[in-house]
Amino acid sequence: MTLDRTDPEGSIAEAAKAYSNWGRWGADDVLGTLNFLDEAKRREAATLIRRGASFSLAQSFDMNGPQKGWRRRTNPVHTMLDTGTDAALGLQGFPHGLGGADDVIAMPLQCSTQWDGLGHIFDHGKTWNGRDAAKTVTSEGDLVTGIEHMAPHVAGRGVLLDVGRTVGEDGELPDGFAITEEHLTATADAQGVTVGRGDIVLVRTGQLARVRRDGWGDYAGGAAPGLSFTTAGWLHGSEIAAIATDTWGFEVRPNEFDVAFQPLHQVAIPNIGLLIGEMWDLEALAEDCAADGAYEFLLVAAPLPITGAVGSPINPIAVK
């Protein structure tokens, strides 16, 4: 598709109409593109385990994360409720020398490695499948497409597209680099892997490696490599179940229009019904894939079944 930098409104409307999946799985659908990830696809994914090597694709959930308070997003705050000190001082009241520790965590659900739920983004007041956003997502939460519905389903064939290594210099793409469909297909070809229906695609840009080396800077909301708005057709036509990146916002930043904010989100989530992951740590997995040449694996990345949530922290596990 073409991109008119001066007309984000028109480009978004054109893409939303061309790539809409509204009604594709019925009026009551709550899964969107996860419908592509069926039992046969999971059986296929299970056959990809050769060595039993496993990789966590999550960043650490702690106060050292990237958040700076944008839209009240903070890093996780971990607090101990009971400790070994309390036990040693006899403050816990347990018999026969028993002691224990308890803790609590407070955090925005999208402050670190996470999925964007289908109720996360609206397009002109409409949420996934053409529902009225005002009646679907209220102060009570997402009343229809809460992320709890996805909890049993996000397990299948994962495919790493290491665009940073294939297209970039020294394994990294510069901030502001727009990843096109051509970059995605060239990476898949170079790696000898296919991408298709029901796959969970992981796109490594290398930005996370860079900020770990140089400091967080503006990782949370600043300039970043990411998917071009023009990949909307590929995201729709490839029939992938989900996609995740190692960046804060999935799509290239600054966005490709003169004045815009996350336009690809506006097409992909409420119109395509696509499950999007962000801030995934793909470094160890990418190193292993580069070493053994295998870029497909079993991926289990279930969201927490938080009733009515529009996003969820996750600890994705890739098994090769």
Side-chain angles (χ1 to χ4, degrees):
M1 63 175 296
T2 58
L3 188 152
D4 181 351
R5 295 191 61 90
T6 67
D7 185 21
E9 186 85 17
S11 297
I12 292 168
E14 178 185 354
K17 181 179 180 180
Y19 309 129
S20 174
N21 279 327
W22 288 3
R24 184 168 187 167
W25 298 286
D28 297 330
D29 180 68
V30 297
L31 296 178
T33 55
L34 274 183
N35 284 285
F36 292 131
L37 207 176
D38 56 18
E39 293 179 355
K41 198 69 184 180
R42 292 192 190 93
R43 290 195 300 271
E44 174 191 344
T47 67
L48 299 174
I49 300 176
R50 297 286 190 268
R51 294 152 44 206
S54 62
F55 303 85
S56 169
L57 309 183
Q59 295 190 37
S60 297
F61 285 81
D62 57 34
M63 286 291 289
N64 298 316
Q67 298 298 334
K68 300 187 296 182
W70 179 80
R71 297 190 66 81
R72 295 179 285 186
R73 287 185 183 174
T74 61
N75 292 310
V77 179
H78 177 225
T79 304
M80 298 305 298
L81 300 178
D82 259 331
T83 69
T85 304
D86 300 326
L89 292 175
L91 301 178
Q92 294 182 329
F94 296 127
H96 48 74
L98 176 73
D102 269 346
D103 45 6
V104 65
I105 191 166
M107 64 179 186
L109 297 183
Q110 293 166 321
C111 68
S112 188
T113 307
Q114 53 95 21
W115 285 123
D116 283 344
L118 292 181
H120 176 54
I121 296 292
F122 313 133
D123 181 12
H124 290 82
K126 298 295 183 181
T127 187
W128 162 242
N129 229 16
R131 299 180 177 98
D132 184 347
K135 296 178 180 178
T136 302
V137 185
T138 73
S139 60
E140 298 295 318
D142 186 335
L143 306 178
V144 181
T145 50
I147 206 150
E148 71 273 15
H149 298 291
M150 295 182 166
H153 299 285
V154 194
R157 178 179 182 255
V159 179
L160 175 68
L161 295 182
D162 194 343
V163 185
R165 274 183 172 82
T166 304
V167 179
E169 295 184 9
D170 298 323
E172 300 171 10
L173 300 176
D175 291 340
F177 185 97
I179 299 170
T180 65
E181 176 179 347
E182 289 71 26
H183 293 131
L184 295 172
T185 55
T187 299
D189 290 343
Q191 296 175 175
V193 70
T194 60
V195 173
R197 185 172 186 147
D199 287 334
I200 304 170
V201 178
L202 311 181
V203 178
R204 179 188 173 274
T205 70
Q207 190 196 33
L208 183 59
R210 181 164 61 253
V211 299
R212 284 209 172 125
R213 185 176 62 245
D214 301 337
W216 285 118
D218 290 328
Y219 176 83
L227 269 70
S228 168
F229 183 81
T230 61
T231 61
W234 182 87
L235 294 171
H236 177 263
S238 60
E239 297 187 339
I240 59 174
I243 190 168
T245 69
D246 57 354
T247 66
W248 172 86
F250 164 68
E251 57 190 282
V252 63
R253 294 180 54 79
N255 302 131
E256 297 159 282
F257 298 95
D258 292 341
V259 179
F261 183 76
Q262 302 301 79
L264 187 56
H265 273 67
Q266 191 172 341
V267 174
I269 295 179
N271 292 289
I272 298 176
L274 182 63
L275 182 61
I276 291 175
E278 293 155 335
M279 293 180 279
W280 289 38
D281 183 352
L282 305 176
E283 291 307 298
L285 175 64
E287 288 283 348
D288 190 83
C289 292
D292 75 356
Y295 288 84
E296 56 180 351
F297 35 83
L298 171 68
L299 179 64
V300 180
L304 299 177
I306 305 169
T307 303
V310 298
S312 173
I314 47 174
N315 177 30
I317 302 293
V319 187
K320 297 181 66 180

